[in-house]
PDB file of all heavy atoms in Angstrom:
ATOM      1  N   ALA A 568     107.051  68.216 104.595  1.00  0.00           N
ATOM      2  CA  ALA A 568     106.896  67.556 105.834  1.00  0.00           C
ATOM      3  C   ALA A 568     105.569  67.724 106.438  1.00  0.00           C
ATOM      4  O   ALA A 568     104.850  66.832 106.882  1.00  0.00           O
ATOM      5  CB  ALA A 568     108.002  67.881 106.784  1.00  0.00           C
ATOM      6  N   ILE A 569     105.101  69.013 106.415  1.00  0.00           N
ATOM      7  CA  ILE A 569     103.822  69.363 106.925  1.00  0.00           C
ATOM      8  C   ILE A 569     102.717  68.718 106.067  1.00  0.00           C
ATOM      9  O   ILE A 569     101.753  68.125 106.631  1.00  0.00           O
ATOM     10  CB  ILE A 569     103.625  70.938 107.007  1.00  0.00           C
ATOM     11  CG1 ILE A 569     104.536  71.444 108.146  1.00  0.00           C
ATOM     12  CG2 ILE A 569     102.226  71.252 107.283  1.00  0.00           C
ATOM     13  CD1 ILE A 569     104.597  72.990 108.167  1.00  0.00           C
ATOM     14  N   GLN A 570     102.894  68.715 104.826  1.00  0.00           N
ATOM     15  CA  GLN A 570     101.899  68.113 103.898  1.00  0.00           C
ATOM     16  C   GLN A 570     101.818  66.589 104.190  1.00  0.00           C
ATOM     17  O   GLN A 570     100.732  66.025 104.123  1.00  0.00           O
ATOM     18  CB  GLN A 570     102.267  68.349 102.480  1.00  0.00           C
ATOM     19  CG  GLN A 570     101.968  69.746 101.935  1.00  0.00           C
ATOM     20  CD  GLN A 570     102.347  69.941 100.489  1.00  0.00           C
ATOM     21  OE1 GLN A 570     103.085  69.143  99.890  1.00  0.00           O
ATOM     22  NE2 GLN A 570     101.893  71.063  99.961  1.00  0.00           N
ATOM     23  N   ASP A 571     102.951  65.970 104.455  1.00  0.00           N
ATOM     24  CA  ASP A 571     102.963  64.524 104.826  1.00  0.00           C
ATOM     25  C   ASP A 571     102.011  64.235 105.938  1.00  0.00           C
ATOM     26  O   ASP A 571     101.481  63.133 106.113  1.00  0.00           O
ATOM     27  CB  ASP A 571     104.331  64.027 105.152  1.00  0.00           C
ATOM     28  CG  ASP A 571     105.171  63.886 103.952  1.00  0.00           C
ATOM     29  OD1 ASP A 571     104.741  63.991 102.799  1.00  0.00           O
ATOM     30  OD2 ASP A 571     106.452  63.784 104.117  1.00  0.00           O
ATOM     31  N   HIS A 572     101.836  65.203 106.870  1.00  0.00           N
ATOM     32  CA  HIS A 572     101.031  64.989 108.047  1.00  0.00           C
ATOM     33  C   HIS A 572      99.657  65.659 108.008  1.00  0.00           C
ATOM     34  O   HIS A 572      98.853  65.459 108.949  1.00  0.00           O
ATOM     35  CB  HIS A 572     101.794  65.498 109.358  1.00  0.00           C
ATOM     36  CG  HIS A 572     103.053  64.792 109.613  1.00  0.00           C
ATOM     37  ND1 HIS A 572     103.067  63.519 110.167  1.00  0.00           N
ATOM     38  CD2 HIS A 572     104.326  65.046 109.270  1.00  0.00           C
ATOM     39  CE1 HIS A 572     104.298  63.130 110.301  1.00  0.00           C
ATOM     40  NE2 HIS A 572     105.119  64.025 109.712  1.00  0.00           N
ATOM     41  N   THR A 573      99.395  66.441 106.997  1.00  0.00           N
ATOM     42  CA  THR A 573      98.085  67.101 106.881  1.00  0.00           C
ATOM     43  C   THR A 573      97.209  66.672 105.737  1.00  0.00           C
ATOM     44  O   THR A 573      96.065  67.100 105.612  1.00  0.00           O
ATOM     45  CB  THR A 573      98.272  68.680 106.748  1.00  0.00           C
ATOM     46  OG1 THR A 573      99.105  68.888 105.679  1.00  0.00           O
ATOM     47  CG2 THR A 573      98.920  69.200 108.052  1.00  0.00           C
ATOM     48  N   MET A 574      97.771  65.802 104.880  1.00  0.00           N
ATOM     49  CA  MET A 574      96.988  65.300 103.720  1.00  0.00           C
ATOM     50  C   MET A 574      97.009  63.772 103.728  1.00  0.00           C
ATOM     51  O   MET A 574      97.856  63.207 104.451  1.00  0.00           O
ATOM     52  CB  MET A 574      97.609  65.812 102.466  1.00  0.00           C
ATOM     53  CG  MET A 574      97.565  67.364 102.347  1.00  0.00           C
ATOM     54  SD  MET A 574      98.205  67.940 100.817  1.00  0.00           S
ATOM     55  CE  MET A 574      97.554  69.628 100.750  1.00  0.00           C
ATOM     56  N   GLY A 575      96.207  63.239 102.960  1.00  0.00           N
ATOM     57  CA  GLY A 575      96.164  61.756 102.866  1.00  0.00           C
ATOM     58  C   GLY A 575      95.063  61.160 103.655  1.00  0.00           C
ATOM     59  O   GLY A 575      94.094  61.791 104.111  1.00  0.00           O
ATOM     60  N   ALA A 576      95.167  59.806 103.890  1.00  0.00           N
ATOM     61  CA  ALA A 576      94.041  59.076 104.530  1.00  0.00           C
ATOM     62  C   ALA A 576      93.829  59.433 105.978  1.00  0.00           C
ATOM     63  O   ALA A 576      92.720  59.419 106.410  1.00  0.00           O
ATOM     64  CB  ALA A 576      94.323  57.587 104.438  1.00  0.00           C
ATOM     65  N   THR A 577      94.864  59.798 106.739  1.00  0.00           N
ATOM     66  CA  THR A 577      94.704  60.073 108.108  1.00  0.00           C
ATOM     67  C   THR A 577      95.481  61.390 108.500  1.00  0.00           C
ATOM     68  O   THR A 577      96.466  61.347 109.204  1.00  0.00           O
ATOM     69  CB  THR A 577      95.328  58.899 108.984  1.00  0.00           C
ATOM     70  OG1 THR A 577      96.693  58.692 108.651  1.00  0.00           O
ATOM     71  CG2 THR A 577      94.583  57.591 108.816  1.00  0.00           C
ATOM     72  N   PRO A 578      94.939  62.480 108.079  1.00  0.00           N
ATOM     73  CA  PRO A 578      95.568  63.747 108.368  1.00  0.00           C
ATOM     74  C   PRO A 578      95.526  64.187 109.815  1.00  0.00           C
ATOM     75  O   PRO A 578      94.512  63.814 110.524  1.00  0.00           O
ATOM     76  CB  PRO A 578      94.767  64.790 107.539  1.00  0.00           C
ATOM     77  CG  PRO A 578      93.404  64.151 107.338  1.00  0.00           C
ATOM     78  CD  PRO A 578      93.668  62.651 107.338  1.00  0.00           C
ATOM     79  N   ASN A 579      96.444  64.836 110.323  1.00  0.00           N
ATOM     80  CA  ASN A 579      96.535  65.344 111.672  1.00  0.00           C
ATOM     81  C   ASN A 579      95.750  66.649 111.697  1.00  0.00           C
ATOM     82  O   ASN A 579      96.229  67.689 111.139  1.00  0.00           O
ATOM     83  CB  ASN A 579      98.006  65.659 112.075  1.00  0.00           C
ATOM     84  CG  ASN A 579      98.133  66.127 113.545  1.00  0.00           C
ATOM     85  OD1 ASN A 579      97.322  67.070 113.917  1.00  0.00           O
ATOM     86  ND2 ASN A 579      99.065  65.691 114.263  1.00  0.00           N
ATOM     87  N   GLU A 580      94.498  66.624 112.156  1.00  0.00           N
ATOM     88  CA  GLU A 580      93.566  67.795 112.065  1.00  0.00           C
ATOM     89  C   GLU A 580      94.100  69.099 112.830  1.00  0.00           C
ATOM     90  O   GLU A 580      93.967  70.132 112.424  1.00  0.00           O
ATOM     91  CB  GLU A 580      92.222  67.440 112.536  1.00  0.00           C
ATOM     92  CG  GLU A 580      91.583  66.402 111.608  1.00  0.00           C
ATOM     93  CD  GLU A 580      91.341  66.869 110.181  1.00  0.00           C
ATOM     94  OE1 GLU A 580      91.116  68.105 109.955  1.00  0.00           O
ATOM     95  OE2 GLU A 580      91.391  65.993 109.264  1.00  0.00           O
ATOM     96  N   LYS A 581      94.759  68.802 113.949  1.00  0.00           N
ATOM     97  CA  LYS A 581      95.297  69.931 114.723  1.00  0.00           C
ATOM     98  C   LYS A 581      96.427  70.627 113.950  1.00  0.00           C
ATOM     99  O   LYS A 581      96.413  71.808 113.850  1.00  0.00           O
ATOM    100  CB  LYS A 581      95.780  69.423 116.107  1.00  0.00           C
ATOM    101  CG  LYS A 581      96.292  70.510 116.946  1.00  0.00           C
ATOM    102  CD  LYS A 581      96.775  69.942 118.403  1.00  0.00           C
ATOM    103  CE  LYS A 581      97.365  71.108 119.159  1.00  0.00           C
ATOM    104  NZ  LYS A 581      97.788  70.538 120.442  1.00  0.00           N
ATOM    105  N   LEU A 582      97.276  69.854 113.413  1.00  0.00           N
ATOM    106  CA  LEU A 582      98.352  70.399 112.621  1.00  0.00           C
ATOM    107  C   LEU A 582      97.805  71.096 111.295  1.00  0.00           C
ATOM    108  O   LEU A 582      98.270  72.229 110.960  1.00  0.00           O
ATOM    109  CB  LEU A 582      99.391  69.371 112.244  1.00  0.00           C
ATOM    110  CG  LEU A 582     100.543  69.830 111.373  1.00  0.00           C
ATOM    111  CD1 LEU A 582     101.359  70.936 112.063  1.00  0.00           C
ATOM    112  CD2 LEU A 582     101.500  68.647 111.072  1.00  0.00           C
ATOM    113  N   LYS A 583      96.823  70.490 110.753  1.00  0.00           N
ATOM    114  CA  LYS A 583      96.181  71.056 109.592  1.00  0.00           C
ATOM    115  C   LYS A 583      95.657  72.432 109.841  1.00  0.00           C
ATOM    116  O   LYS A 583      95.791  73.428 109.014  1.00  0.00           O
ATOM    117  CB  LYS A 583      95.090  70.067 109.107  1.00  0.00           C
ATOM    118  CG  LYS A 583      94.531  70.403 107.833  1.00  0.00           C
ATOM    119  CD  LYS A 583      93.581  69.203 107.420  1.00  0.00           C
ATOM    120  CE  LYS A 583      92.992  69.354 106.072  1.00  0.00           C
ATOM    121  NZ  LYS A 583      92.112  68.187 105.643  1.00  0.00           N
ATOM    122  N   ARG A 584      94.890  72.603 110.958  1.00  0.00           N
ATOM    123  CA  ARG A 584      94.329  73.840 111.372  1.00  0.00           C
ATOM    124  C   ARG A 584      95.483  74.892 111.701  1.00  0.00           C
ATOM    125  O   ARG A 584      95.339  76.029 111.238  1.00  0.00           O
ATOM    126  CB  ARG A 584      93.424  73.717 112.627  1.00  0.00           C
ATOM    127  CG  ARG A 584      92.085  73.160 112.381  1.00  0.00           C
ATOM    128  CD  ARG A 584      91.171  73.242 113.579  1.00  0.00           C
ATOM    129  NE  ARG A 584      91.670  72.489 114.689  1.00  0.00           N
ATOM    130  CZ  ARG A 584      91.567  71.203 114.907  1.00  0.00           C
ATOM    131  NH1 ARG A 584      90.928  70.427 114.029  1.00  0.00           N
ATOM    132  NH2 ARG A 584      92.092  70.594 116.018  1.00  0.00           N
ATOM    133  N   GLN A 585      96.526  74.504 112.341  1.00  0.00           N
ATOM    134  CA  GLN A 585      97.591  75.377 112.672  1.00  0.00           C
ATOM    135  C   GLN A 585      98.298  75.829 111.370  1.00  0.00           C
ATOM    136  O   GLN A 585      98.677  76.989 111.235  1.00  0.00           O
ATOM    137  CB  GLN A 585      98.598  74.712 113.582  1.00  0.00           C
ATOM    138  CG  GLN A 585      99.712  75.714 114.113  1.00  0.00           C
ATOM    139  CD  GLN A 585      99.076  76.895 114.815  1.00  0.00           C
ATOM    140  OE1 GLN A 585      98.287  76.789 115.710  1.00  0.00           O
ATOM    141  NE2 GLN A 585      99.446  78.133 114.352  1.00  0.00           N
ATOM    142  N   ALA A 586      98.510  74.924 110.439  1.00  0.00           N
ATOM    143  CA  ALA A 586      99.074  75.316 109.159  1.00  0.00           C
ATOM    144  C   ALA A 586      98.253  76.378 108.413  1.00  0.00           C
ATOM    145  O   ALA A 586      98.780  77.254 107.815  1.00  0.00           O
ATOM    146  CB  ALA A 586      99.383  74.049 108.282  1.00  0.00           C
ATOM    147  N   GLU A 587      96.913  76.132 108.453  1.00  0.00           N
ATOM    148  CA  GLU A 587      96.096  77.067 107.755  1.00  0.00           C
ATOM    149  C   GLU A 587      96.101  78.454 108.519  1.00  0.00           C
ATOM    150  O   GLU A 587      96.167  79.490 107.731  1.00  0.00           O
ATOM    151  CB  GLU A 587      94.690  76.508 107.770  1.00  0.00           C
ATOM    152  CG  GLU A 587      93.653  77.285 106.974  1.00  0.00           C
ATOM    153  CD  GLU A 587      93.921  77.308 105.502  1.00  0.00           C
ATOM    154  OE1 GLU A 587      94.624  76.422 104.982  1.00  0.00           O
ATOM    155  OE2 GLU A 587      93.368  78.170 104.765  1.00  0.00           O
ATOM    156  N   ILE A 588      96.052  78.475 109.749  1.00  0.00           N
ATOM    157  CA  ILE A 588      96.185  79.753 110.508  1.00  0.00           C
ATOM    158  C   ILE A 588      97.468  80.456 110.167  1.00  0.00           C
ATOM    159  O   ILE A 588      97.523  81.679 109.894  1.00  0.00           O
ATOM    160  CB  ILE A 588      96.051  79.511 111.988  1.00  0.00           C
ATOM    161  CG1 ILE A 588      94.571  79.038 112.266  1.00  0.00           C
ATOM    162  CG2 ILE A 588      96.450  80.668 112.796  1.00  0.00           C
ATOM    163  CD1 ILE A 588      94.437  78.471 113.712  1.00  0.00           C
ATOM    164  N   THR A 589      98.587  79.726 110.087  1.00  0.00           N
ATOM    165  CA  THR A 589      99.856  80.269 109.809  1.00  0.00           C
ATOM    166  C   THR A 589      99.892  80.848 108.425  1.00  0.00           C
ATOM    167  O   THR A 589     100.419  81.943 108.207  1.00  0.00           O
ATOM    168  CB  THR A 589     100.959  79.199 109.947  1.00  0.00           C
ATOM    169  OG1 THR A 589     100.903  78.737 111.328  1.00  0.00           O
ATOM    170  CG2 THR A 589     102.297  79.799 109.699  1.00  0.00           C
ATOM    171  N   MET A 590      99.344  80.104 107.483  1.00  0.00           N
ATOM    172  CA  MET A 590      99.346  80.606 106.022  1.00  0.00           C
ATOM    173  C   MET A 590      98.488  81.884 105.967  1.00  0.00           C
ATOM    174  O   MET A 590      98.835  82.863 105.264  1.00  0.00           O
ATOM    175  CB  MET A 590      98.806  79.562 105.130  1.00  0.00           C
ATOM    176  CG  MET A 590      99.769  78.337 104.952  1.00  0.00           C
ATOM    177  SD  MET A 590     101.358  78.843 104.267  1.00  0.00           S
ATOM    178  CE  MET A 590     100.931  79.315 102.587  1.00  0.00           C
ATOM    179  N   ARG A 591      97.359  81.885 106.595  1.00  0.00           N
ATOM    180  CA  ARG A 591      96.527  83.094 106.513  1.00  0.00           C
ATOM    181  C   ARG A 591      97.210  84.292 107.114  1.00  0.00           C
ATOM    182  O   ARG A 591      97.179  85.416 106.589  1.00  0.00           O
ATOM    183  CB  ARG A 591      95.208  82.839 107.308  1.00  0.00           C
ATOM    184  CG  ARG A 591      94.182  82.082 106.500  1.00  0.00           C
ATOM    185  CD  ARG A 591      92.810  81.992 107.291  1.00  0.00           C
ATOM    186  NE  ARG A 591      91.914  81.244 106.481  1.00  0.00           N
ATOM    187  CZ  ARG A 591      91.177  81.754 105.484  1.00  0.00           C
ATOM    188  NH1 ARG A 591      91.341  83.021 105.170  1.00  0.00           N
ATOM    189  NH2 ARG A 591      90.389  81.073 104.755  1.00  0.00           N
ATOM    190  N   ALA A 592      97.964  84.184 108.222  1.00  0.00           N
ATOM    191  CA  ALA A 592      98.724  85.207 108.890  1.00  0.00           C
ATOM    192  C   ALA A 592      99.836  85.683 107.939  1.00  0.00           C
ATOM    193  O   ALA A 592     100.108  86.842 107.832  1.00  0.00           O
ATOM    194  CB  ALA A 592      99.324  84.778 110.215  1.00  0.00           C
ATOM    195  N   LEU A 593     100.532  84.793 107.392  1.00  0.00           N
ATOM    196  CA  LEU A 593     101.603  85.027 106.490  1.00  0.00           C
ATOM    197  C   LEU A 593     101.256  85.837 105.205  1.00  0.00           C
ATOM    198  O   LEU A 593     101.851  86.794 104.830  1.00  0.00           O
ATOM    199  CB  LEU A 593     102.365  83.735 106.139  1.00  0.00           C
ATOM    200  CG  LEU A 593     103.703  83.925 105.312  1.00  0.00           C
ATOM    201  CD1 LEU A 593     104.766  84.684 106.117  1.00  0.00           C
ATOM    202  CD2 LEU A 593     104.243  82.525 104.967  1.00  0.00           C
ATOM    203  N   TYR A 594     100.144  85.331 104.616  1.00  0.00           N
ATOM    204  CA  TYR A 594      99.663  86.009 103.313  1.00  0.00           C
ATOM    205  C   TYR A 594      98.871  87.194 103.498  1.00  0.00           C
ATOM    206  O   TYR A 594      98.714  88.002 102.617  1.00  0.00           O
ATOM    207  CB  TYR A 594      98.920  84.935 102.556  1.00  0.00           C
ATOM    208  CG  TYR A 594      99.812  83.917 101.808  1.00  0.00           C
ATOM    209  CD1 TYR A 594     100.637  83.060 102.463  1.00  0.00           C
ATOM    210  CD2 TYR A 594      99.797  83.982 100.348  1.00  0.00           C
ATOM    211  CE1 TYR A 594     101.471  82.168 101.767  1.00  0.00           C
ATOM    212  CE2 TYR A 594     100.685  83.031  99.677  1.00  0.00           C
ATOM    213  CZ  TYR A 594     101.471  82.265 100.388  1.00  0.00           C
ATOM    214  OH  TYR A 594     102.271  81.351  99.707  1.00  0.00           O
ATOM    215  N   GLY A 595      98.242  87.345 104.690  1.00  0.00           N
ATOM    216  CA  GLY A 595      97.380  88.508 104.944  1.00  0.00           C
ATOM    217  C   GLY A 595      96.229  88.677 103.895  1.00  0.00           C
ATOM    218  O   GLY A 595      95.635  87.689 103.541  1.00  0.00           O
ATOM    219  N   GLU A 596      96.072  89.874 103.489  1.00  0.00           N
ATOM    220  CA  GLU A 596      94.958  90.149 102.498  1.00  0.00           C
ATOM    221  C   GLU A 596      95.122  89.451 101.151  1.00  0.00           C
ATOM    222  O   GLU A 596      94.203  89.380 100.336  1.00  0.00           O
ATOM    223  CB  GLU A 596      94.733  91.629 102.323  1.00  0.00           C
ATOM    224  CG  GLU A 596      95.850  92.353 101.690  1.00  0.00           C
ATOM    225  CD  GLU A 596      95.688  93.841 101.580  1.00  0.00           C
ATOM    226  OE1 GLU A 596      95.344  94.511 102.655  1.00  0.00           O
ATOM    227  OE2 GLU A 596      95.856  94.415 100.543  1.00  0.00           O
ATOM    228  N   MET A 597      96.383  89.028 100.912  1.00  0.00           N
ATOM    229  CA  MET A 597      96.620  88.345  99.618  1.00  0.00           C
ATOM    230  C   MET A 597      96.332  86.798  99.673  1.00  0.00           C
ATOM    231  O   MET A 597      96.479  86.094  98.755  1.00  0.00           O
ATOM    232  CB  MET A 597      98.098  88.502  99.185  1.00  0.00           C
ATOM    233  CG  MET A 597      98.390  89.862  98.744  1.00  0.00           C
ATOM    234  SD  MET A 597      97.527  90.340  97.275  1.00  0.00           S
ATOM    235  CE  MET A 597      98.383  89.484  96.025  1.00  0.00           C
ATOM    236  N   TYR A 598      95.860  86.330 100.795  1.00  0.00           N
ATOM    237  CA  TYR A 598      95.617  84.913 101.034  1.00  0.00           C
ATOM    238  C   TYR A 598      94.610  84.355  99.961  1.00  0.00           C
ATOM    239  O   TYR A 598      94.938  83.426  99.290  1.00  0.00           O
ATOM    240  CB  TYR A 598      95.044  84.620 102.400  1.00  0.00           C
ATOM    241  CG  TYR A 598      94.780  83.182 102.663  1.00  0.00           C
ATOM    242  CD1 TYR A 598      95.749  82.270 103.028  1.00  0.00           C
ATOM    243  CD2 TYR A 598      93.472  82.675 102.448  1.00  0.00           C
ATOM    244  CE1 TYR A 598      95.536  80.984 103.185  1.00  0.00           C
ATOM    245  CE2 TYR A 598      93.251  81.304 102.671  1.00  0.00           C
ATOM    246  CZ  TYR A 598      94.264  80.489 102.978  1.00  0.00           C
ATOM    247  OH  TYR A 598      93.965  79.152 103.156  1.00  0.00           O
ATOM    248  N   ASP A 599      93.403  85.000  99.870  1.00  0.00           N
ATOM    249  CA  ASP A 599      92.422  84.471  99.001  1.00  0.00           C
ATOM    250  C   ASP A 599      92.838  84.564  97.501  1.00  0.00           C
ATOM    251  O   ASP A 599      92.805  83.571  96.767  1.00  0.00           O
ATOM    252  CB  ASP A 599      91.110  85.177  99.086  1.00  0.00           C
ATOM    253  CG  ASP A 599      90.401  84.700 100.389  1.00  0.00           C
ATOM    254  OD1 ASP A 599      90.528  83.523 100.730  1.00  0.00           O
ATOM    255  OD2 ASP A 599      89.781  85.592 101.044  1.00  0.00           O
TER     256      ASP A 599
END
Side-chain angles (χ1 to χ4, degrees):
I569 290 172
Q570 285 178 349
D571 286 347
H572 296 282
T573 58
M574 298 181 164
T577 57
N579 180 319
E580 295 299 328
K581 183 177 178 184
L582 180 59
K583 193 174 183 178
R584 282 190 300 278
Q585 187 58 53
E587 186 69 17
I588 290 166
T589 302
M590 290 301 291
R591 284 185 176 277
L593 187 61
Y594 279 66
E596 66 185 48
M597 290 295 286
Y598 179 84
D599 287 324

